[in-house]
Amino acid sequence: MSDDKNNDPFNYNPFYTPDNIGVVNPPEFRFFDDDSTNLSMFTHHQQAPHNPQGLNPSPFMSFTGCLRSSVDYNTLSRAFDLSCSSSEVITPNLDEGGSSKKCSITEPAATASENGPLSPNSSVSSSSKEAAVEEDGDNSKKDEDDPKTTCNDDDDKSKKGNKPKKKEKRPREPRFAFLTKSEIDHLEDGYRWRKYGQKAVKNSPYPRSYYRCTTQKCTVKKRVERSFQDPSIVITTYEGQHNHECPANLRGNAAAAAAILSPSFFASPSAIGTTFPHSLLLPQFLQMRNPSRANSSNSMMFYPQTLAPQQQQFQPPDHGLLHDMLNSVVQKKEP
DNA sequence: CGCCTTTGACCCGCGC
DNA sequence: GCGCGGGTCAAAGGCG
C-alpha cells in the first residue's frame, strides 16, 4: 500500500503540498489526519491575523488541542479557527470518487462539535467512518474495549477462528501525525500509554512502537517511530479521541504547566487550566519563547513552507506512517 | 501485586 | 493463491 508509485523516496516530502491541496503561506505547521479512507490535512498559519472568536491565537494551542484529544476535530476547529481564511481541511474522500474535497475546517469540525467535543458518538454524519467505529460501541472494536472481556468465550479465537460472518472493513479512526525532534521515542504527553506492540519498519533500522491509552474505554492509540533519515525526528501518530481528562491534568500537572507558561501566550486560561497538556509542550514552548536557549533535544518540528522540499534537510521516513498517509494524498492528486 | 515492556505468533489487507 | 508487511494479541518476564 505504501508502495510508492509516489516519488523518489529520498526526496519525498510529506509536507509538500501540490497546488490543489491548498494554498498556504509560511510559516506554518501542519497536522495530518488519516483514517485510511479519509485523509485530512490541516494547515495552520502561525500568525493569525484575526481572532474572531477570541480564541487562543497561539499555534501551540492547536497542538495542545490536538494532543489533548488527539483528533478532536472540535478542538482542532477551534484551534485552527484562528483565521478562517487560513485554516482549512482538505479531505480527500477516497470513498467518494476519490477526488479531494476541500472545505473550510469549520465544516467537519462543526459537525463534530455539535455532538459534544468528546462524544464518541459525534458522528461526522454522512461520511463519518471513524465515528461509526467509535459509536456503535459494540464490538466493532474488539480490541479496544477491554479485549479480555469482549472476546468472550467461544469466539475469542477471533484471532484464529475466522468468523463465518463477513466482517465489515473496520474503518480506521482519524489520525494525526506529529513530528518531534527528540532523543526519546516515547514523549510524555500527559496521558498514560501502554505499549502493546513493536514492529520493525521496513527499510528502517528503527522499530515502530504501538501504544494504547491505558484509560478504560479509551480507544486512543498512538504509534511512535523514528525517522531513519533523521534519527532525531520522532514521528508520533495519534489515532482516535480521548474520552477522558488528561491524567496529567488531574494530577495537577496542568497547574504547574500553567504556572510556567505565560498566560500572555495562551490567551485562554481555561484552555490551559483544564486541558493544557503536558511536558511535551514545554520544550516547544520554551523554544518558541527563547529559541536561542532551546536545543534540539526535544522540539516540535515546524515546516516553514518557504523551504522548498528539496531544500529541507529533514527527509521524512520513506516507509513510515506519514509516508503512507501522504502517499494517499499525493496519489489522489496525481492523475 | 499491579503495571509495564518485550517478543513471537497470528490476523488481515493488499499487490502481484 | 501466495507472499509481504502492517497491526494486534497475549504470554512471559521485569520493575517498583
Side-chain angles (χ1 to χ4, degrees), chain A residues 147-148 150-161 163:
Chain A
K148 284 163 177 123
T150 51
C151 64
N152 24 5
D153 48 82
D154 33 8
D155 278 343
D156 42 10
K157 43 291 234 205
S158 49
K159 283 181 71 169
K160 339 192 145 207
K163 312 181 152 180

Side-chain angles (χ1 to χ4, degrees), chain A residues 293-306:
Chain A
R293 277 188 52 194
N295 55 26
S296 61
S297 63
N298 188 1
S299 57
M300 179 68 183
M301 292 298 296
F302 290 85
Y303 291 89
Q305 200 172 23
T306 46

Side-chain angles (χ1 to χ4, degrees), chain A residues 143 146-148 186-189 191-198 209-216 218-224 242:
Chain A
D143 52 333
D146 193 359
K148 284 163 177 123
H186 189 195
L187 299 166
E188 178 61 48
D189 60 3
Y191 291 92
R192 298 183 61 191
W193 301 94
R194 169 178 306 206
K195 188 175 186 177
Y196 67 90
Q198 176 172 310
S209 298
Y210 299 89
Y211 297 88
R212 210 186 331 252
C213 183
T214 60
T215 302
Q216 264 193 345
C218 183
T219 65
V220 176
K221 297 172 201 167
K222 78 172 176 181
R223 277 158 283 189
V224 177
H242 290 287

Side-chain angles (χ1 to χ4, degrees), chain A residues 313-332:
Chain A
Q313 278 192 329
F314 169 65
Q315 298 288 345
D318 299 337
H319 302 275
L321 295 166
L322 280 176
H323 185 73
D324 277 351
M325 296 190 285
L326 273 266
N327 266 350
S328 16
V329 169
V330 173
Q331 288 168 10
K332 284 264 75 113

Side-chain angles (χ1 to χ4, degrees), chain A residues 128-179:
Chain A
S128 65
K129 300 138 191 82
E130 63 273 9
V133 191
E134 295 186 356
E135 89 184 356
D136 59 14
D138 52 358
N139 306 325
S140 61
K141 42 174 189 179
K142 66 172 178 153
D143 52 333
E144 353 269 356
D145 251 274
D146 193 359
K148 284 163 177 123
T149 58
T150 51
C151 64
N152 24 5
D153 48 82
D154 33 8
D155 278 343
D156 42 10
K157 43 291 234 205
S158 49
K159 283 181 71 169
K160 339 192 145 207
N162 317 329
K163 312 181 152 180
K165 67 161 131 191
K166 63 158 191 221
K167 60 169 35 177
E168 70 264 14
K169 204 165 168 180
R170 185 176 90 119
R172 237 189 258 177
E173 301 183 21
R175 291 191 281 180
F176 285 93
F178 297 96
L179 294 123

Side-chain angles (χ1 to χ4, degrees), chain A residues 56 61 64-65 67-69 72 75 78 117-118 189-191 242 244-259 261 266 268-278:
Chain A
N56 188 343
M61 178 56 195
T64 61
L67 281 182
R68 177 167 69 94
S69 55
D72 185 336
T75 303
R78 291 189 193 149
L118 295 179
D189 60 3
Y191 291 92
H242 290 287
H244 56 93
E245 186 67 25
C246 172
N249 290 349
L250 296 176
R251 290 198 300 265
N253 290 7
L261 300 169
F266 298 90
S268 171
S270 62
I272 301 173
T274 59
T275 65
F276 190 80
H278 335 122

